[in-house]
Amino acid sequence: MEKSWEQLEEACKGCRRCPLWQGRHHVVIDRGSRTSKIMLVGEGPGEQEDLQGKAFVGPAGQLLDKMLQAAGFSLEEVYIANIVKCRPPYNRDPQEEERQACLNYLRYQFALVRPKIVVCLGRIAALTLMDPNFRITRQHGQWMEKKGVLFVATYHPSALLRDESKKKEAWEDWKGIRDRYRAMEQEGKE
Ligand code: URA
Ligand code: SF4
């Protein structure tokens, strides 16, 4: 069957594939442009996201928006999603089985958006999408290509809220991401 956003939304709303459905107020699918060439992937909804049904709308999201804008992105040109779509209790890390259970939906989103650049926000997204042994402190900012798509990870904005000393490195990552994205846009025009 043809893939569609309606189909994805319906499937997620009724989903009980992992125990996280039990605590949710809303499934959180995304935020931003569904035709973007750059996709950011976080971990899972927090309290505000669960209440509002949108990705990255709480304190971490506010910091993310500030960094995106400082790097010269408009918030309308990026696409933002998460590894799991229901809030883990007390914002704990989503477990391996929960991540695997939810991953098909993210693949579906990926197929609809077809981004050229994927930015993993934090360790959980990076180890799920890039490398099961990913070390964020060592490997953030390093690019990897998979099937014609560029992947990179940077610190999760919540980690930056907890530890301001990481902000400088994160900012370097974001400048690199912005440069690659702009270069890619330029190539697209030529
Ligand atoms: N943290 C995440 O990983 N995702 C959100 O949507 C909000 C906070
Ligand atoms: Fe389904 Fe994902 Fe929610 Fe688990 S987190 S219930 S797999 S939508």
Side-chain angles (χ1 to χ4, degrees):
M1 215 197 311
E2 185 88 357
K3 285 189 168 59
S4 74
W5 288 106
E6 293 73 29
Q7 210 176 54
L8 175 70
E9 281 164 11
E10 275 315 301
C12 290
K13 263 190 219 161
C15 181
R16 295 186 172 191
R17 281 199 187 177
C18 88
L20 294 180
W21 73 269
Q22 295 171 67
R24 76 177 169 226
H25 292 96
H26 291 98
V27 284
V28 175
I29 294 182
D30 57 12
R31 163 161 84 87
S33 164
R34 287 176 166 180
T35 57
S36 184
K37 291 284 160 250
I38 183 165
M39 177 166 176
L40 280 44
V41 184
E43 194 172 304
E47 184 182 22
Q48 282 307 313
E49 291 76 21
D50 174 56
L51 292 173
Q52 298 181 40
K54 275 177 125 181
F56 280 97
V57 289
Q62 283 162 18
L63 176 58
L64 178 64
D65 286 357
K66 266 199 224 159
M67 286 194 301
L68 284 168
Q69 287 171 313
F73 286 102
S74 90
L75 299 181
E76 290 75 39
E77 77 182 316
V78 299
Y79 182 68
I80 313 180
N82 279 306
I83 296 289
V84 295
K85 296 184 168 31
C86 305
R87 183 190 180 198
Y90 310 105
N91 300 342
R92 67 158 168 73
D93 289 349
Q95 293 165 359
E96 168 75 15
E97 309 82 74
E98 296 160 349
R99 302 197 309 258
Q100 291 307 322
C102 214
L103 209 50
N104 264 340
Y105 298 128
L106 192 67
R107 288 198 187 100
Y108 195 110
Q109 276 167 288
F110 203 82
L112 285 170
V113 178
R114 294 196 290 134
K116 289 275 196 295
I117 295 178
V118 174
V119 181
C120 296
L121 300 172
R123 177 183 149 265
I124 294 287
L127 61 84
T128 311
L129 302 181
M130 293 175 75
D131 167 2
N133 299 312
F134 199 90
R135 300 287 303 272
I136 192 84
T137 45
R138 237 185 273 154
Q139 290 170 271
H140 72 92
Q142 293 179 12
W143 294 84
M144 178 175 138
E145 191 182 329
K146 282 207 286 187
K147 297 184 190 163
V149 178
L150 287 170
F151 286 75
V152 68
T154 185
Y155 289 109
H156 192 289
S158 298
L160 304 178
L161 289 172
R162 283 192 303 268
D163 180 0
E164 295 244 328
S165 71
K166 293 195 175 95
K167 275 191 180 168
K168 202 161 161 261
E169 286 170 77
W171 177 237
E172 291 303 318
D173 293 344
W174 278 110
K175 284 194 291 187
I177 294 163
R178 183 253 338 261
D179 291 347
R180 286 260 179 154
Y181 177 74
R182 295 291 172 222
M184 184 206 71
E185 271 191 325
Q186 213 43 47
E187 278 165 28
K189 282 192 198 125
E190 278 158 15

